[in-house]
């Protein structure tokens, strides 16, 4: 999966935080929902603009960011 097809950063939107496909839903929020034990189905129900691929892209983004952080250390 190429998360770059799903995750966008726009300086004027949500303070420049990474968002899903230009929506006002941040990667952080999606990861927080998943960490709080919301199921994919519950998240998709609450946010009909999101897709399963969007959720996977958020996880891939976080994994890549962690990998880059560890490489820089």
């Amino acid at each position: 999966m190429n998360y770059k097809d799903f995750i966008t950063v726009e300086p004027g939107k949500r303070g420049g935080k990474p968002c899903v496909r230009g929506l006002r839903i941040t990667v952080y929020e999606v990861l927080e929902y998943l960490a709080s034990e919301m199921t994919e189905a519950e998240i998709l129900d609450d946010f009909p603009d999101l897709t399963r691929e969007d959720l996977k892209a958020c996880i891939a983004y976080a994994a890549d960011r962690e990998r880059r952080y560890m490489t820089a250390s």
Side-chain angles (χ1 to χ4, degrees), residues 16-35:
K17 294 176 185 167
C19 293
V20 179
R21 292 184 291 112
L23 301 170
R24 297 190 62 78
I25 302 169
T26 65
V27 169
Y28 174 81
E29 290 168 330
V30 171
L31 295 173
E32 194 171 54
Y33 299 141
L34 290 167

Side-chain angles (χ1 to χ4, degrees):
M1 145 152 312
N2 185 359
Y3 68 82
K4 294 176 184 177
D5 294 335
F6 297 86
I7 307 302
T8 59
V9 177
E10 299 175 43
K13 187 177 284 179
R14 299 298 305 263
K17 294 176 185 167
C19 293
V20 179
R21 292 184 291 112
L23 301 170
R24 297 190 62 78
I25 302 169
T26 65
V27 169
Y28 174 81
E29 290 168 330
V30 171
L31 295 173
E32 194 171 54
Y33 299 141
L34 290 167
S36 72
E37 299 185 11
M38 281 182 78
T39 65
E40 283 185 5
E42 289 170 329
I43 296 169
L44 297 176
D45 238 17
D46 286 353
F47 301 93
D49 290 333
L50 291 178
T51 66
R52 187 169 188 271
E53 288 76 24
D54 294 330
L55 303 183
K56 290 175 17 181
C58 289
I59 295 169
Y61 176 87
D64 186 51
R65 186 171 172 156
E66 179 66 13
R67 181 191 55 75
R68 286 184 281 129
Y69 174 77
M70 294 305 293
T71 304
S73 296

